[in-house]
Amino acid sequence: MSDTPFRLHHVQYGRSFRVLWLIEEIGLEATLGVPLEVIRYQIGSKEMATGGLAKVSPATRIPALEIGDLVMSESGAITEYLVETYAPRLGVAIGQAGRTDYLQWIHYSETMASLIEQLNLQMVFLRPPAKASPIVIKLNVARLRHTLAGMEARLEGRDWLLDQGFSAADIMMGFNLFAAPYYVNLEQFPNLIAYKARIEAMASYQRCVAREGEQTFYAQDFYPVPEE
Ligand SMILES: N[C@@H](CCC(=O)N[C@@H](CS)C(=O)NCC(=O)O)C(=O)O
């Protein structure tokens, strides 16, 4: 398998982090016998828009994963595929108890991530003369807090989102907790703080962070809602 393309189209700490972390958790490079080639883009750059990404991602977004002839984008779809194919222990198969919870939390992650994306757009990307909208930011922060409260409630009395223990749903959702604290103070969510600490103690997560290096996207530790 050594000539097989095995590539991840990636932005530092973007949603492709989920795939990188899953690859680390599975040990997929060892399984395939091929080192992962990580193709790195700068978010919003010309290379991202006009380089090879459009060939492997219909929306020209990351992640995109190539394994041999297989090409997939959408972090949730890639996650479900990799789990089914290489690591059933991290998922719940059709017909098994807990399957609906698994699907629910895999997909909840994008309800949350799309709010973070809107906040990133308003708070980090916009440059003068474009102006962020305080009311839209306020609404999105409230919505993000609401999704975090739902996760907090789910984690009451649980270490991980599923009763069976750590799963790919934690990879999809856990990644969001890297970015959410830039907009919502997690102090009001003790279960999330403990969950985040459990994630940060995982060897696969740590290997992934070591591959990523220090984040360079956020210029401040917290982005408060601007005055109207
Ligand atoms: N639902 C998709 C969303 C993918 C997505 O929006 N990725 C962002 C980065 S996290 C992106 O590529 N944005 C491109 C841009 O903003 O130009 C997934 O989960 O993979």
Side-chain angles (χ1 to χ4, degrees):
M1 192 120 184
S2 60
D3 294 332
T4 302
F6 180 29
R7 294 190 196 103
L8 176 65
H9 297 257
H10 178 62
V11 163
Q12 191 206 32
Y13 294 106
R15 286 171 174 96
S16 44
F17 182 96
R18 292 169 173 156
V19 180
L20 194 58
W21 178 11
L22 182 58
I23 287 169
E24 284 289 352
E25 176 62 28
I26 295 174
L28 194 53
E29 291 173 293
T31 303
L32 296 178
V34 184
L36 177 70
E37 184 186 346
V38 180
I39 301 175
R40 292 179 183 267
Y41 301 88
Q42 204 67 31
I43 190 85
S45 65
K46 201 168 129 232
E47 292 68 39
M48 194 167 175
T50 59
L53 184 59
K55 291 197 193 97
V56 289
S57 171
T60 321
R61 286 175 174 244
I62 58 88
L65 183 70
E66 301 175 68
I67 306 180
D69 293 335
L70 174 101
V71 179
M72 288 184 83
S73 53
E74 288 295 335
S75 60
I78 293 170
T79 295
E80 287 189 46
Y81 168 76
L82 291 181
V83 166
E84 284 164 16
T85 312
Y86 300 103
R89 73 178 166 92
L90 294 174
V92 183
I94 294 174
Q96 281 185 344
R99 169 76 177 175
T100 50
D101 285 341
Y102 173 63
L103 293 176
Q104 160 79 22
W105 290 104
I106 288 268
H107 292 278
Y108 191 102
S109 67
E110 277 298 281
T111 298
M112 193 185 279
S114 61
L115 293 166
I116 294 169
E117 180 179 325
Q118 287 303 311
L119 288 164
N120 287 344
L121 189 72
Q122 294 262 345
M123 305 285 253
V124 184
F125 278 115
L126 285 190
R127 296 274 178 273
K131 275 180 73 181
S133 162
I135 184 67
V136 173
I137 292 168
K138 200 171 162 186
L139 278 170
N140 279 334
V141 167
R143 288 171 170 214
L144 177 59
R145 187 178 298 109
H146 202 76
T147 62
L148 289 164
M151 191 180 180
E152 171 79 7
R154 175 67 186 177
L155 288 167
E156 186 63 38
R158 283 190 177 85
D159 281 356
W160 304 107
L161 288 165
L162 301 190
D163 293 333
Q164 68 176 42
F166 181 80
S167 75
D170 296 301
I171 290 184
M172 289 294 292
M173 287 294 293
F175 157 74
N176 293 351
L177 295 188
F178 170 80
Y182 287 97
Y183 300 116
V184 175
N185 191 333
L186 289 192
E187 269 172 24
Q188 59 204 294
F189 299 123
N191 294 337
L192 294 190
I193 290 175
Y195 177 75
K196 192 166 184 287
R198 277 192 285 280
I199 284 173
E200 287 169 359
M202 289 187 69
S204 59
Y205 184 87
Q206 289 173 4
R207 285 196 299 275
C208 197
V209 167
R211 272 177 114 140
E212 289 289 74
E214 204 175 322
Q215 77 82 21
T216 55
F217 182 71
Y218 297 105
Q220 51 198 73
D221 292 340
F222 187 74
Y223 289 79
V225 175
E227 299 289 322
E228 285 184 44

